mmCIF file of all heavy atoms in Angstrom:
data_model
loop_
_atom_site.group_PDB
_atom_site.id
_atom_site.type_symbol
_atom_site.label_atom_id
_atom_site.label_comp_id
_atom_site.label_asym_id
_atom_site.label_seq_id
_atom_site.Cartn_x
_atom_site.Cartn_y
_atom_site.Cartn_z
ATOM 1 N N ASP F 42 31.205 -69.200 76.243
ATOM 2 C CA ASP F 42 29.782 -68.856 76.185
ATOM 3 C C ASP F 42 28.925 -70.097 76.245
ATOM 4 O O ASP F 42 27.693 -70.000 76.621
ATOM 5 C CB ASP F 42 29.383 -68.057 74.859
ATOM 6 C CG ASP F 42 30.297 -66.801 74.767
ATOM 7 O OD1 ASP F 42 30.041 -65.916 75.703
ATOM 8 O OD2 ASP F 42 31.131 -66.662 73.856
ATOM 9 N N GLY F 43 29.393 -71.181 75.684
ATOM 10 C CA GLY F 43 28.575 -72.480 75.694
ATOM 11 C C GLY F 43 29.340 -73.642 75.826
ATOM 12 O O GLY F 43 30.510 -73.795 75.556
ATOM 13 N N ALA F 44 28.673 -74.674 76.431
ATOM 14 C CA ALA F 44 29.271 -76.095 76.561
ATOM 15 C C ALA F 44 28.173 -77.027 76.035
ATOM 16 O O ALA F 44 27.047 -77.073 76.486
ATOM 17 C CB ALA F 44 29.630 -76.286 78.060
ATOM 18 N N TRP F 45 28.598 -77.943 75.119
ATOM 19 C CA TRP F 45 27.664 -78.812 74.500
ATOM 20 C C TRP F 45 28.151 -80.275 74.652
ATOM 21 O O TRP F 45 29.377 -80.452 74.831
ATOM 22 C CB TRP F 45 27.574 -78.538 72.968
ATOM 23 C CG TRP F 45 26.996 -77.236 72.523
ATOM 24 C CD1 TRP F 45 27.495 -75.948 72.973
ATOM 25 C CD2 TRP F 45 25.834 -76.987 71.793
ATOM 26 N NE1 TRP F 45 26.729 -74.979 72.436
ATOM 27 C CE2 TRP F 45 25.684 -75.600 71.753
ATOM 28 C CE3 TRP F 45 24.973 -77.813 71.152
ATOM 29 C CZ2 TRP F 45 24.682 -74.996 71.001
ATOM 30 C CZ3 TRP F 45 23.861 -77.249 70.453
ATOM 31 C CH2 TRP F 45 23.786 -75.820 70.369
ATOM 32 N N VAL F 46 27.213 -81.232 74.655
ATOM 33 C CA VAL F 46 27.547 -82.573 74.729
ATOM 34 C C VAL F 46 27.005 -83.362 73.549
ATOM 35 O O VAL F 46 25.868 -82.957 73.003
ATOM 36 C CB VAL F 46 27.056 -83.268 76.040
ATOM 37 C CG1 VAL F 46 27.771 -82.730 77.277
ATOM 38 C CG2 VAL F 46 25.551 -83.123 76.184
ATOM 39 N N ARG F 47 27.752 -84.368 73.139
ATOM 40 C CA ARG F 47 27.137 -85.296 72.089
ATOM 41 C C ARG F 47 26.150 -86.222 72.760
ATOM 42 O O ARG F 47 26.409 -86.652 73.951
ATOM 43 C CB ARG F 47 28.240 -86.070 71.419
ATOM 44 C CG ARG F 47 29.205 -85.238 70.671
ATOM 45 C CD ARG F 47 30.260 -86.197 70.034
ATOM 46 N NE ARG F 47 31.337 -85.428 69.422
ATOM 47 C CZ ARG F 47 31.301 -84.951 68.137
ATOM 48 N NH1 ARG F 47 30.298 -85.212 67.407
ATOM 49 N NH2 ARG F 47 32.332 -84.287 67.610
ATOM 50 N N GLN F 48 25.054 -86.697 72.111
ATOM 51 C CA GLN F 48 24.278 -87.784 72.614
ATOM 52 C C GLN F 48 24.486 -88.939 71.706
ATOM 53 O O GLN F 48 24.150 -88.855 70.534
ATOM 54 C CB GLN F 48 22.748 -87.367 72.688
ATOM 55 C CG GLN F 48 21.972 -88.592 73.120
ATOM 56 C CD GLN F 48 20.516 -88.244 73.515
ATOM 57 O OE1 GLN F 48 20.278 -87.399 74.343
ATOM 58 N NE2 GLN F 48 19.502 -88.829 72.774
ATOM 59 N N ARG F 49 24.953 -90.043 72.242
ATOM 60 C CA ARG F 49 25.276 -91.181 71.451
ATOM 61 C C ARG F 49 24.637 -92.454 72.225
ATOM 62 O O ARG F 49 24.715 -92.525 73.459
ATOM 63 C CB ARG F 49 26.808 -91.446 71.260
ATOM 64 C CG ARG F 49 27.464 -90.347 70.544
ATOM 65 C CD ARG F 49 27.074 -90.242 69.043
ATOM 66 N NE ARG F 49 27.740 -89.233 68.361
ATOM 67 C CZ ARG F 49 28.903 -89.405 67.665
ATOM 68 N NH1 ARG F 49 29.420 -90.588 67.694
ATOM 69 N NH2 ARG F 49 29.432 -88.407 66.967
ATOM 70 N N HIS F 50 24.274 -93.476 71.413
ATOM 71 C CA HIS F 50 23.667 -94.643 72.031
ATOM 72 C C HIS F 50 24.634 -95.800 71.735
ATOM 73 O O HIS F 50 25.433 -95.829 70.774
ATOM 74 C CB HIS F 50 22.368 -95.022 71.419
ATOM 75 C CG HIS F 50 21.339 -93.955 71.561
ATOM 76 N ND1 HIS F 50 20.814 -93.603 72.869
ATOM 77 C CD2 HIS F 50 20.731 -93.080 70.793
ATOM 78 C CE1 HIS F 50 19.962 -92.687 72.802
ATOM 79 N NE2 HIS F 50 19.867 -92.306 71.558
ATOM 80 N N LEU F 51 24.741 -96.777 72.736
ATOM 81 C CA LEU F 51 25.519 -97.947 72.688
ATOM 82 C C LEU F 51 27.045 -97.706 72.654
ATOM 83 O O LEU F 51 27.823 -98.494 72.342
ATOM 84 C CB LEU F 51 25.255 -98.767 71.326
ATOM 85 C CG LEU F 51 23.723 -99.231 71.183
ATOM 86 C CD1 LEU F 51 23.644 -100.027 69.896
ATOM 87 C CD2 LEU F 51 23.340 -100.041 72.430
ATOM 88 N N GLU F 52 27.391 -96.460 73.096
ATOM 89 C CA GLU F 52 28.772 -96.058 73.308
ATOM 90 C C GLU F 52 28.969 -95.677 74.792
ATOM 91 O O GLU F 52 28.117 -95.208 75.468
ATOM 92 C CB GLU F 52 29.172 -94.855 72.453
ATOM 93 C CG GLU F 52 29.027 -95.198 70.965
ATOM 94 C CD GLU F 52 29.349 -93.874 70.088
ATOM 95 O OE1 GLU F 52 29.866 -92.963 70.625
ATOM 96 O OE2 GLU F 52 29.012 -93.958 68.877
ATOM 97 N N PRO F 53 30.224 -95.807 75.303
ATOM 98 C CA PRO F 53 30.597 -95.243 76.608
ATOM 99 C C PRO F 53 30.622 -93.842 76.682
ATOM 100 O O PRO F 53 31.666 -93.201 76.728
ATOM 101 C CB PRO F 53 31.861 -96.016 77.001
ATOM 102 C CG PRO F 53 32.541 -96.181 75.703
ATOM 103 C CD PRO F 53 31.420 -96.531 74.650
ATOM 104 N N GLY F 54 29.547 -93.163 76.525
ATOM 105 C CA GLY F 54 29.355 -91.701 76.531
ATOM 106 C C GLY F 54 27.995 -91.329 77.066
ATOM 107 O O GLY F 54 27.325 -92.045 77.719
ATOM 108 N N ILE F 55 27.563 -90.129 76.696
ATOM 109 C CA ILE F 55 26.350 -89.605 77.114
ATOM 110 C C ILE F 55 25.178 -90.036 76.275
ATOM 111 O O ILE F 55 24.909 -89.597 75.145
ATOM 112 C CB ILE F 55 26.405 -88.077 77.195
ATOM 113 C CG1 ILE F 55 27.440 -87.621 78.292
ATOM 114 C CG2 ILE F 55 25.011 -87.484 77.635
ATOM 115 C CD1 ILE F 55 27.719 -86.237 78.307
ATOM 116 N N SER F 56 24.326 -90.993 76.790
ATOM 117 C CA SER F 56 23.180 -91.442 76.068
ATOM 118 C C SER F 56 21.906 -90.680 76.425
ATOM 119 O O SER F 56 20.945 -90.787 75.612
ATOM 120 C CB SER F 56 22.927 -92.951 76.424
ATOM 121 O OG SER F 56 22.747 -93.112 77.848
ATOM 122 N N SER F 57 21.918 -89.925 77.405
ATOM 123 C CA SER F 57 20.789 -89.040 77.766
ATOM 124 C C SER F 57 21.307 -87.673 77.987
ATOM 125 O O SER F 57 21.610 -87.271 79.130
ATOM 126 C CB SER F 57 20.025 -89.555 78.940
ATOM 127 O OG SER F 57 19.031 -88.650 79.365
ATOM 128 N N ALA F 58 21.288 -86.823 76.971
ATOM 129 C CA ALA F 58 21.683 -85.419 77.203
ATOM 130 C C ALA F 58 20.838 -84.688 78.084
ATOM 131 O O ALA F 58 21.304 -83.871 78.843
ATOM 132 C CB ALA F 58 21.698 -84.682 75.778
ATOM 133 N N ALA F 59 19.541 -84.982 78.185
ATOM 134 C CA ALA F 59 18.684 -84.325 79.088
ATOM 135 C C ALA F 59 19.015 -84.532 80.443
ATOM 136 O O ALA F 59 19.050 -83.647 81.370
ATOM 137 C CB ALA F 59 17.125 -84.678 78.839
ATOM 138 N N ALA F 60 19.276 -85.718 80.860
ATOM 139 C CA ALA F 60 19.628 -86.109 82.203
ATOM 140 C C ALA F 60 20.980 -85.505 82.633
ATOM 141 O O ALA F 60 21.133 -84.903 83.701
ATOM 142 C CB ALA F 60 19.711 -87.646 82.442
ATOM 143 N N PHE F 61 21.960 -85.514 81.675
ATOM 144 C CA PHE F 61 23.257 -85.061 82.030
ATOM 145 C C PHE F 61 23.163 -83.540 82.139
ATOM 146 O O PHE F 61 23.745 -82.903 83.145
ATOM 147 C CB PHE F 61 24.244 -85.340 80.946
ATOM 148 C CG PHE F 61 25.593 -84.724 81.199
ATOM 149 C CD1 PHE F 61 26.471 -85.368 82.013
ATOM 150 C CD2 PHE F 61 25.937 -83.505 80.698
ATOM 151 C CE1 PHE F 61 27.680 -84.784 82.319
ATOM 152 C CE2 PHE F 61 27.234 -82.912 80.984
ATOM 153 C CZ PHE F 61 28.050 -83.519 81.766
ATOM 154 N N LEU F 62 22.492 -82.800 81.249
ATOM 155 C CA LEU F 62 22.483 -81.394 81.307
ATOM 156 C C LEU F 62 21.614 -80.837 82.410
ATOM 157 O O LEU F 62 21.764 -79.695 82.947
ATOM 158 C CB LEU F 62 21.917 -80.821 79.954
ATOM 159 C CG LEU F 62 22.894 -80.985 78.788
ATOM 160 C CD1 LEU F 62 22.294 -80.444 77.495
ATOM 161 C CD2 LEU F 62 24.182 -80.358 79.071
ATOM 162 N N ALA F 63 20.689 -81.682 82.967
ATOM 163 C CA ALA F 63 19.930 -81.246 84.171
ATOM 164 C C ALA F 63 20.956 -81.159 85.337
ATOM 165 O O ALA F 63 20.920 -80.245 86.171
ATOM 166 C CB ALA F 63 18.906 -82.257 84.528
ATOM 167 N N ALA F 64 21.944 -82.157 85.389
ATOM 168 C CA ALA F 64 22.985 -82.040 86.424
ATOM 169 C C ALA F 64 23.892 -80.866 86.177
ATOM 170 O O ALA F 64 24.173 -80.157 87.123
ATOM 171 C CB ALA F 64 23.804 -83.327 86.379
ATOM 172 N N ALA F 65 24.181 -80.644 84.952
ATOM 173 C CA ALA F 65 25.077 -79.519 84.619
ATOM 174 C C ALA F 65 24.549 -78.211 84.864
ATOM 175 O O ALA F 65 25.219 -77.218 85.254
ATOM 176 C CB ALA F 65 25.512 -79.584 83.107
ATOM 177 N N SER F 66 23.205 -78.110 84.782
ATOM 178 C CA SER F 66 22.505 -76.845 85.136
ATOM 179 C C SER F 66 22.705 -76.436 86.564
ATOM 180 O O SER F 66 22.561 -75.265 86.908
ATOM 181 C CB SER F 66 20.952 -76.996 84.835
ATOM 182 O OG SER F 66 20.276 -77.757 85.794
ATOM 183 N N GLN F 67 22.895 -77.388 87.456
ATOM 184 C CA GLN F 67 23.089 -77.152 88.925
ATOM 185 C C GLN F 67 24.511 -76.940 89.228
ATOM 186 O O GLN F 67 24.822 -76.518 90.370
ATOM 187 C CB GLN F 67 22.448 -78.295 89.697
ATOM 188 C CG GLN F 67 21.057 -78.579 89.317
ATOM 189 C CD GLN F 67 20.087 -77.253 89.482
ATOM 190 O OE1 GLN F 67 19.896 -76.861 90.591
ATOM 191 N NE2 GLN F 67 19.634 -76.769 88.353
ATOM 192 N N ARG F 68 25.446 -77.132 88.329
ATOM 193 C CA ARG F 68 26.825 -76.963 88.512
ATOM 194 C C ARG F 68 27.418 -75.748 87.856
ATOM 195 O O ARG F 68 28.601 -75.405 88.084
ATOM 196 C CB ARG F 68 27.646 -78.220 88.052
ATOM 197 C CG ARG F 68 27.268 -79.458 88.720
ATOM 198 C CD ARG F 68 28.007 -79.737 90.027
ATOM 199 N NE ARG F 68 29.432 -80.038 89.787
ATOM 200 C CZ ARG F 68 29.932 -81.239 89.719
ATOM 201 N NH1 ARG F 68 29.242 -82.278 89.961
ATOM 202 N NH2 ARG F 68 31.253 -81.388 89.512
#
Side-chain angles (χ1 to χ4, degrees):
D42 300 296
W45 297 60
V46 292
R47 299 181 185 273
Q48 176 167 303
R49 298 293 182 91
H50 299 293
L51 301 181
E52 299 178 13
I55 294 169
S56 57
S57 173
F61 178 84
L62 292 178
S66 74
Q67 305 305 292
R68 298 276 290 264

